Amino acid sequence: MFDEFNREVFACGQQIFKAGDAGDCAYLIEEGTVEIIIVDQGLERRVSLIGKGEMFGEVALIDHQPRTATVRAVEKAVLVPIRRKLVEELLEKSDPILRHLLLVTLERFRNKQSSPAGPAASTKSSQEQAIRRIALKGEATQNLSLAHGITRALTHDEFKLYYQPICNLSDGHLAGFEALIRWHHPMNGMIQPMEFLWLAEQTGLIREIGLWTLERACRDWPTLRQYTDYDEPFVSVNLSATQLTSESLVDDVKAIIACHNMPATELKLELTETVMVERPEIASQILNRLIELGCSLALDDYGTGHSGLDHLQRYPIGTLKIDRAFIAPMLESAQSQEIVRSSIALAHSLGMNVVAEGIETKGVGAKLLEMKCNFGQGWHFGKPAALHDLALCYAKKIA
Ligand code: C2E
Ligand code: CA
Ligand code: CA
């Protein structure tokens, strides 16, 4: 194995690379032992000792960032360098599923290494951050009053549904909208969903909020629909993990769309991978029944969660939404760009269309179009807005 590769030999104590060096290759240890060292508050600390058959420096294969650790031979070491250029050439030729799997795994490994508090901290969702923020601020009584506030908001019509345009990347035309909830609090002004949905989820109030959102989106759809000339227009509604395990969800959706004469094919339901991981059997049953009704499904925040390839194949998902975390830095980060490229290829190979979230500039939109991404959502196309503000914006265009 690796016969055609050159070897590099390092003497005992010799440095192979140091933290801060530019790195363009990984090393496979053919003989000998090396130590991995990090510098912590000015002091060197050995974090591991690895030997024959093991590999180090592999993050450099996709990451154009400087090395994060120093590596030294602790005895004579014979190493097989595996250059990034070669790996890129091989990846380019490889099966899109394998390529994607490798990139996601390396990305996760990199997060694990670069996060000061370890893997958990680097993958914390904004929702978890909101939980921490509120928990730090105010403890139980505050949460109780927030829960009361949510209940009051439901009965006093304080929730509002905003809509954000989703556009066809090839011609910029409006294809549909995503419905996003806002809380117009009588004392505290506008409250963003991340600030209260986590508690709604914990208290079960999310079911009522979910029904309210679905009902409002279907009620507003005839107005919104006039603003698009796309041949398959849609409104996307977010479903929480709790809603997705509710026995009554399918009947509720059926009743709401019937009440508003909403064509089921124009209702897209967005879900994240959480539910598929935690309750796969129930999720599969419910999702199939929603498809039977005629609705379509979108997998939201792709790339931030478990990103198991089996979810994509196992569930009847028509749309993959790539998370903003990968889209926003795309032009500066070759790694994000590669993850986006491989996600698009993967989705297309599974017959799905792709929405890129968080497009803030024309340049990012153009790059995504070049990568054959189907749809875009983000401030470049429009921020979420209330129905009457959208009317001011789009009514002129259809007049
Ligand atoms: P999401 O489903 O990923 O929604 C996209 C979020 O990205 C929205 O945040 C949107 O305002 C924001 N966004 C869109 N384009 C851009 C951009 O170009 N730049 C930046 N910086 N941000 C952009 P929002 O409205 O705060 O919603 C946050 C999350 O709350 C949503 O994330 C969704 O998970 C949840 N959510 C919102 N409404 C509902 C709802 O009615 N039901 C449920 N279950 N969840 C909801
Ligand atoms: Ca969403
Ligand atoms: Ca999303």
Side-chain angles (χ1 to χ4, degrees), residues 145-167:
S145 96
L146 182 62
H148 281 140
I150 297 173
T151 317
R152 193 204 53 229
L154 276 163
T155 51
H156 287 66
D157 205 23
E158 291 170 15
F159 288 126
K160 307 286 169 215
L161 211 47
Y162 277 36
Y163 296 96
Q164 186 174 30
I166 297 179
C167 295

Short mmCIF file of all heavy atoms in Angstrom, two decimals, residues 145-167:
data_model
loop_
_atom_site.label_atom_id
_atom_site.label_comp_id
_atom_site.label_asym_id
_atom_site.label_seq_id
_atom_site.Cartn_x
_atom_site.Cartn_y
_atom_site.Cartn_z
N SER A 145 -42.98 33.23 33.98
CA SER A 145 -43.70 34.39 33.46
C SER A 145 -43.62 34.42 31.94
O SER A 145 -44.55 34.84 31.27
CB SER A 145 -43.20 35.67 34.13
OG SER A 145 -42.24 36.28 33.35
N LEU A 146 -42.53 33.89 31.38
CA LEU A 146 -42.45 33.80 29.91
C LEU A 146 -43.52 32.84 29.39
O LEU A 146 -44.22 33.13 28.41
CB LEU A 146 -41.05 33.33 29.50
CG LEU A 146 -40.77 33.21 28.00
CD1 LEU A 146 -40.88 34.56 27.30
CD2 LEU A 146 -39.37 32.63 27.75
N ALA A 147 -43.69 31.71 30.09
CA ALA A 147 -44.71 30.74 29.67
C ALA A 147 -46.12 31.35 29.75
O ALA A 147 -46.94 31.17 28.85
CB ALA A 147 -44.63 29.48 30.54
N HIS A 148 -46.36 32.12 30.81
CA HIS A 148 -47.66 32.79 30.91
C HIS A 148 -47.84 33.79 29.77
O HIS A 148 -48.91 33.91 29.19
CB HIS A 148 -47.78 33.54 32.25
CG HIS A 148 -48.12 32.63 33.37
ND1 HIS A 148 -47.55 32.74 34.62
CD2 HIS A 148 -48.94 31.57 33.45
CE1 HIS A 148 -48.02 31.78 35.41
NE2 HIS A 148 -48.86 31.05 34.71
N GLY A 149 -46.74 34.48 29.49
CA GLY A 149 -46.77 35.46 28.40
C GLY A 149 -47.13 34.80 27.08
O GLY A 149 -47.92 35.34 26.30
N ILE A 150 -46.57 33.61 26.83
CA ILE A 150 -46.85 32.91 25.56
C ILE A 150 -48.33 32.55 25.49
O ILE A 150 -49.00 32.71 24.47
CB ILE A 150 -45.96 31.65 25.43
CG1 ILE A 150 -44.48 32.04 25.37
CG2 ILE A 150 -46.35 30.84 24.20
CD1 ILE A 150 -43.51 30.86 25.41
N THR A 151 -48.86 32.06 26.62
CA THR A 151 -50.28 31.69 26.65
C THR A 151 -51.14 32.92 26.37
O THR A 151 -52.09 32.86 25.58
CB THR A 151 -50.64 31.11 28.04
OG1 THR A 151 -49.60 30.23 28.44
CG2 THR A 151 -51.95 30.37 28.03
N ARG A 152 -50.75 34.05 26.99
CA ARG A 152 -51.53 35.27 26.77
C ARG A 152 -51.42 35.71 25.31
O ARG A 152 -52.39 36.12 24.68
CB ARG A 152 -51.02 36.37 27.71
CG ARG A 152 -51.94 37.56 27.80
CD ARG A 152 -51.19 38.82 28.23
NE ARG A 152 -50.03 39.05 27.38
CZ ARG A 152 -48.80 39.31 27.83
NH1 ARG A 152 -48.56 39.37 29.12
NH2 ARG A 152 -47.81 39.50 27.00
N ALA A 153 -50.19 35.59 24.78
CA ALA A 153 -49.98 36.02 23.39
C ALA A 153 -50.89 35.27 22.43
O ALA A 153 -51.41 35.83 21.47
CB ALA A 153 -48.52 35.79 23.02
N LEU A 154 -51.11 33.97 22.74
CA LEU A 154 -51.98 33.16 21.86
C LEU A 154 -53.42 33.67 21.90
O LEU A 154 -54.09 33.75 20.87
CB LEU A 154 -51.94 31.68 22.30
CG LEU A 154 -50.77 30.86 21.76
CD1 LEU A 154 -50.60 29.57 22.55
CD2 LEU A 154 -50.97 30.53 20.27
N THR A 155 -53.87 34.03 23.10
CA THR A 155 -55.27 34.45 23.20
C THR A 155 -55.47 35.92 22.84
O THR A 155 -56.55 36.34 22.47
CB THR A 155 -55.82 34.20 24.63
OG1 THR A 155 -54.90 34.79 25.55
CG2 THR A 155 -55.96 32.72 24.93
N HIS A 156 -54.39 36.73 22.94
CA HIS A 156 -54.54 38.17 22.66
C HIS A 156 -53.99 38.56 21.29
O HIS A 156 -53.73 39.73 21.04
CB HIS A 156 -53.83 38.98 23.75
CG HIS A 156 -54.54 38.99 25.06
ND1 HIS A 156 -54.69 37.85 25.84
CD2 HIS A 156 -55.17 39.98 25.74
CE1 HIS A 156 -55.35 38.15 26.94
NE2 HIS A 156 -55.67 39.43 26.90
N ASP A 157 -53.78 37.57 20.46
CA ASP A 157 -53.37 37.85 19.08
C ASP A 157 -52.06 38.66 19.00
O ASP A 157 -51.93 39.58 18.19
CB ASP A 157 -54.51 38.63 18.39
CG ASP A 157 -54.46 38.43 16.89
OD1 ASP A 157 -53.88 37.42 16.46
OD2 ASP A 157 -54.98 39.29 16.15
N GLU A 158 -51.10 38.30 19.87
CA GLU A 158 -49.83 39.05 19.85
C GLU A 158 -48.80 38.44 18.90
O GLU A 158 -47.78 39.05 18.61
CB GLU A 158 -49.24 39.11 21.28
CG GLU A 158 -50.05 39.97 22.22
CD GLU A 158 -49.61 39.84 23.68
OE1 GLU A 158 -48.51 39.32 23.94
OE2 GLU A 158 -50.40 40.25 24.56
N PHE A 159 -49.04 37.21 18.44
CA PHE A 159 -48.10 36.62 17.48
C PHE A 159 -48.41 37.15 16.09
O PHE A 159 -49.58 37.38 15.74
CB PHE A 159 -48.21 35.09 17.48
CG PHE A 159 -47.63 34.47 18.72
CD1 PHE A 159 -48.37 33.59 19.50
CD2 PHE A 159 -46.34 34.77 19.12
CE1 PHE A 159 -47.84 33.03 20.65
CE2 PHE A 159 -45.79 34.21 20.28
CZ PHE A 159 -46.55 33.34 21.04
N LYS A 160 -47.37 37.35 15.30
CA LYS A 160 -47.54 37.79 13.92
C LYS A 160 -46.74 36.84 13.04
O LYS A 160 -45.71 36.31 13.46
CB LYS A 160 -46.97 39.20 13.70
CG LYS A 160 -47.50 40.25 14.67
CD LYS A 160 -48.94 40.66 14.36
CE LYS A 160 -49.52 41.48 15.50
NZ LYS A 160 -50.91 41.29 15.77
N LEU A 161 -47.22 36.65 11.83
CA LEU A 161 -46.47 35.80 10.92
C LEU A 161 -45.81 36.70 9.87
O LEU A 161 -46.49 37.50 9.22
CB LEU A 161 -47.40 34.77 10.28
CG LEU A 161 -46.75 33.44 9.94
CD1 LEU A 161 -45.91 32.89 11.07
CD2 LEU A 161 -47.80 32.42 9.53
N TYR A 162 -44.50 36.58 9.77
CA TYR A 162 -43.76 37.31 8.75
C TYR A 162 -43.45 36.33 7.62
O TYR A 162 -43.41 35.12 7.83
CB TYR A 162 -42.46 37.88 9.34
CG TYR A 162 -42.64 39.19 10.08
CD1 TYR A 162 -43.78 39.44 10.84
CD2 TYR A 162 -41.67 40.18 10.02
CE1 TYR A 162 -43.95 40.64 11.52
CE2 TYR A 162 -41.83 41.38 10.69
CZ TYR A 162 -42.96 41.61 11.44
OH TYR A 162 -43.11 42.79 12.12
N TYR A 163 -43.21 36.88 6.44
CA TYR A 163 -42.91 36.01 5.29
C TYR A 163 -41.62 36.48 4.62
O TYR A 163 -41.45 37.67 4.37
CB TYR A 163 -44.06 36.05 4.29
CG TYR A 163 -45.35 35.50 4.89
CD1 TYR A 163 -46.31 36.36 5.43
CD2 TYR A 163 -45.58 34.13 4.95
CE1 TYR A 163 -47.48 35.86 6.01
CE2 TYR A 163 -46.74 33.62 5.53
CZ TYR A 163 -47.68 34.49 6.05
OH TYR A 163 -48.82 34.00 6.63
N GLN A 164 -40.76 35.50 4.35
CA GLN A 164 -39.51 35.84 3.66
C GLN A 164 -39.52 35.20 2.27
O GLN A 164 -39.83 34.01 2.13
CB GLN A 164 -38.30 35.31 4.46
CG GLN A 164 -36.99 35.77 3.84
CD GLN A 164 -35.77 35.40 4.66
OE1 GLN A 164 -35.77 34.39 5.37
NE2 GLN A 164 -34.73 36.21 4.56
N PRO A 165 -39.20 35.99 1.23
CA PRO A 165 -39.22 35.43 -0.13
C PRO A 165 -38.16 34.34 -0.36
O PRO A 165 -37.06 34.41 0.21
CB PRO A 165 -38.94 36.64 -1.02
CG PRO A 165 -38.36 37.68 -0.14
CD PRO A 165 -38.84 37.41 1.24
N ILE A 166 -38.53 33.37 -1.17
CA ILE A 166 -37.57 32.34 -1.62
C ILE A 166 -37.59 32.44 -3.16
O ILE A 166 -38.66 32.35 -3.77
CB ILE A 166 -38.01 30.94 -1.14
CG1 ILE A 166 -38.00 30.89 0.39
CG2 ILE A 166 -37.10 29.85 -1.73
CD1 ILE A 166 -38.43 29.57 1.02
N CYS A 167 -36.43 32.69 -3.73
CA CYS A 167 -36.39 33.00 -5.17
C CYS A 167 -35.66 31.95 -5.97
O CYS A 167 -34.73 31.30 -5.48
CB CYS A 167 -35.72 34.35 -5.39
SG CYS A 167 -36.67 35.68 -4.66
#
